[in-house]
Amino acid sequence: MMSDWKIRKAAAIQAEITVPGDKSISHRAVMLAALSNGPCMIRGFLPSEDCLATVGAMRALGIEIERVDETTLVVHGERGHFKAPSGDIDCGNSGTTMRLLSGILAAQPFTTRLTGDASLSKRPMRRVMEPLAKMGARIVAEGADGRPPLRIEGGKLEPLQYLSPVASAQVKSAVLLAGLFAHGKTTVTEPFQSRDHTERMLEYFLVHPKKKDLSVSIHGVQTPESRDFVVPGDISSAAFWLVAAGAHPEAKLLVKDVGLNTTRTGILAVLVRMGAHVREVISNDGAEPMGAIEITGANLRGTVIGGREIPNVIDELPVLAVAGALAQGRTVIKDAKELRVKETDRIAAIAGNLRAMGVEVVETEDGMEINGGAPLHGAVLESFGDHRIAMAFAIAGLFAEGETVITGTECVATSYPGFDKELELALKRPRTPQTPVITHLH
Ligand code: S3P
C-alpha cells in the first residue's frame, strides 16, 4: 500500500537514540549460522523486509529458523547441506540476499531460481555471475544484460583467484561463500576496501580467512562453528539522524549500541570535515566493534567526497548530499557511479529532489556538485521506491520552509522499520532549545 509522509521544519534534535540492527550484518549472520554445524542464537537481528527475505530463502532451502522474539532468531545450521527449494526464491528488494545467496547456491547439487521485485530485477548480476561461473557454477540471467531472475545450477566448485573490477562487498562475499565449498584456496582482491563484515564473521565462526592489503583468502572445504552472535545497530540507519543533528548548530545527539566498524564509519569523517563535532566510544570489540556516537551540530561547510572513501559511505551518500545542500559552499560527490545501480538511480533521484527543494545541483556521470547554503523549501518529492531516498529527504524536510511531502514511503520497511516513529518524535519536539538529555559518555 502506498503511503506518504508530511514533514515540516523541526527544532534542533536533543536526543539519545538507538537504531535497529545492521542490515548487512543481519543477512550474513543468518547465512553463516545456516552454514554452521549447529544452532546459533542471533540477537539484535534487523526484522526488515530485506533481512526477512534472507530468512525466507534459508527456510526455503530447508534450514530451521525459530523467531524467539522480534529481533532474536535461532538458526539451526546444517553444515552446508541444503534442500532443493520447492519453488522460486523471492529476494524481494534485496540485492544482498540475491548476490550473497548466489555464492552459496553455486555449490549446491540442485538448481534454484532467484527472483526479485521490479527494482531488483533491474540490477546488474554479472558481477557475481562471472566469478561464480569461473568456479564452475552454471548461472543464467533471464533478464536482459545480466538482470534477474537468475537460474543457478550449482555443483562442484574449483577455487578461484579473483581480481574484482568493483569495490563491492556483495561480490567479495559471494565469492568467499562459494570458496567455502571449493577444495583449495580462494582469494578475492578488490580495488578499494569495501565493508569487511563477511571476513569478520567468517573469523568469528572460526573459518580463519587471511587478509593481506586488499585481498582476502579462505581455504575450503570448511564448516563454520556454530556460535551466538549479537548484531550492532546500523550506522547507515543512524546516518539520517547524524545529519539531522550535525547540520543544526543547536543540536546534540547520542546514538547508542551502534556498529563502529571502520569500513562503515566514513560518514563520521565526512561530517567532521564539514564542521560537526563527533565523538565515538567503542564499548565492545567482539566480532564487530560497537559503541556510541555523540554528535554536536554546527553550521556545516561543503566538502569533497570521492576516491577510496566512496565504498565506505556508499549507502550514506543520499543523506550526505542533503548535508551538502545544508552546508555553506560547494559539496562535490565523485567516483560514485555505483549509485546509478542501487535500488534506484540515486544520482538522478537525489539531484531531482534537491532541485525541487530549490537547490542548485549539477549532475555528473559519477556524482554531483551541490551548491549549498540556500534555504530549502518544501516540495512534493518521490521516494522512487528507494528506502534511503525516502529517509534522506525526510531529513531535508526537517530543515525546509513549508511542507515537504514524501510519496511512496512504504519502501522504508526494507531497512528501517520504526523510522517514521523516530521522525514523529523529531517533529513533535518543542522548537525552543531544551536542556540536553544527553548522558555523559565514559
Ligand atoms: C552491502 C554492500 C553494498 C551496499 C549494500 C549492502 C552488503 O553494496 O550498498 O547496501 O551488505 O554487502 P555493494 O557491495 O554492491 O557495493
Side-chain angles (χ1 to χ4, degrees), residues 70-400:
E70 204 40 21
T71 60
T72 310
L73 305 177
V74 178
V75 178
H76 294 265
E78 290 286 353
R79 304 176 159 271
H81 298 299
F82 297 95
K83 291 199 189 102
S86 56
D88 295 350
I89 292 183
D90 182 4
C91 303
N93 191 249
S94 176
T96 311
T97 306
M98 189 173 280
R99 296 199 179 114
L100 269 57
L101 199 55
S102 296
I104 294 174
L105 294 173
Q108 304 312 314
F110 49 77
T111 300
T112 319
R113 189 166 176 268
L114 299 180
T115 61
D117 71 2
S119 154
L120 184 54
S121 301
K122 287 194 209 128
R123 298 183 64 187
M125 293 298 148
R126 278 210 187 111
R127 51 180 64 196
V128 289
M129 290 165 65
E130 282 173 4
L132 296 175
K134 283 189 179 141
M135 296 178 85
R138 267 178 287 189
I139 310 185
V140 176
E142 295 177 15
D145 268 347
R147 265 50 181 189
L150 295 186
R151 186 177 291 278
I152 303 178
E153 198 184 315
K156 200 173 154 343
L157 299 182
E158 295 297 325
L160 178 69
Q161 311 296 307
Y162 190 59
L163 198 58
S164 175
V166 276
S168 160
Q170 294 179 353
V171 173
K172 175 175 61 180
S173 304
V175 176
L176 291 175
L177 289 171
L180 265 187
F181 293 90
H183 283 273
K185 184 168 123 182
T186 291
T187 304
V188 188
T189 305
E190 48 186 354
F192 295 127
Q193 175 72 54
S194 67
R195 62 191 67 190
D196 66 356
H197 304 304
T198 301
E199 300 89 297
R200 281 175 180 270
M201 208 173 290
L202 285 166
E203 181 64 43
Y204 183 79
F205 281 81
L206 306 182
V207 170
H208 304 312
K210 294 272 170 305
K211 172 125 184 89
K212 189 170 183 291
D213 305 323
L214 293 170
S215 300
V216 192
S217 310
I218 60 164
H219 282 277
V221 174
Q222 290 195 67
T223 303
E225 277 292 320
S226 73
R227 290 186 73 180
D228 294 349
F229 195 90
V230 179
V231 180
D234 197 329
I235 190 165
S236 298
S237 296
F240 302 104
W241 309 112
L242 292 172
V243 169
H248 206 304
E250 284 145 27
K252 198 162 188 179
L253 176 73
L254 179 72
V255 187
K256 294 193 299 189
D257 305 329
V258 65
L260 293 173
N261 178 320
T262 52
T263 62
R264 295 286 297 285
T265 50
I267 181 174
L268 303 180
V270 174
L271 288 172
V272 166
R273 269 195 332 260
M274 295 180 87
H277 306 282
V278 178
R279 211 153 73 89
E280 282 176 77
V281 179
I282 296 180
S283 50
N284 166 10
D285 201 349
E288 287 282 347
M290 174 168 170
I293 301 169
E294 187 181 51
I295 185 162
T296 309
N299 287 312
L300 298 183
R301 48 184 184 267
T303 188
V304 179
I305 310 171
R308 63 185 64 244
E309 184 171 45
I310 291 298
N312 198 316
V313 294
I314 191 74
D315 292 341
E316 290 67 73
L317 288 172
V319 78
L320 283 173
V322 170
L326 295 168
Q328 291 299 324
R330 233 160 53 111
T331 289
V332 179
I333 297 174
K334 58 183 187 179
D335 310 315
K337 214 166 80 195
E338 275 293 305
L339 285 181
R340 297 216 180 261
V341 291
K342 291 293 177 189
E343 285 80 333
T344 187
D345 175 344
R346 286 185 176 161
I347 295 179
I350 296 166
N353 280 351
L354 283 180
R355 274 193 210 110
M357 300 186 93
V359 182
E360 220 181 278
V361 189
V362 178
E363 193 179 321
T364 58
E365 191 39 42
D366 66 349
M368 67 194 78
E369 291 185 18
I370 300 161
N371 201 355
L376 298 188
H377 55 74
V380 178
L381 305 172
E382 258 192 71
S383 71
F384 299 94
D386 183 327
H387 52 135
R388 300 206 197 277
I389 298 294
M391 292 186 275
F393 283 90
I395 300 305
L398 297 176
F399 290 85

Side-chain angles (χ1 to χ4, degrees), residues 387-419:
H387 52 135
R388 300 206 197 277
I389 298 294
M391 292 186 275
F393 283 90
I395 300 305
L398 297 176
F399 290 85
E401 296 301 333
E403 190 178 80
T404 299
V405 175
I406 319 274
T407 64
T409 57
E410 60 288 343
C411 55
V412 165
T414 61
S415 73
Y416 195 162
F419 176 85

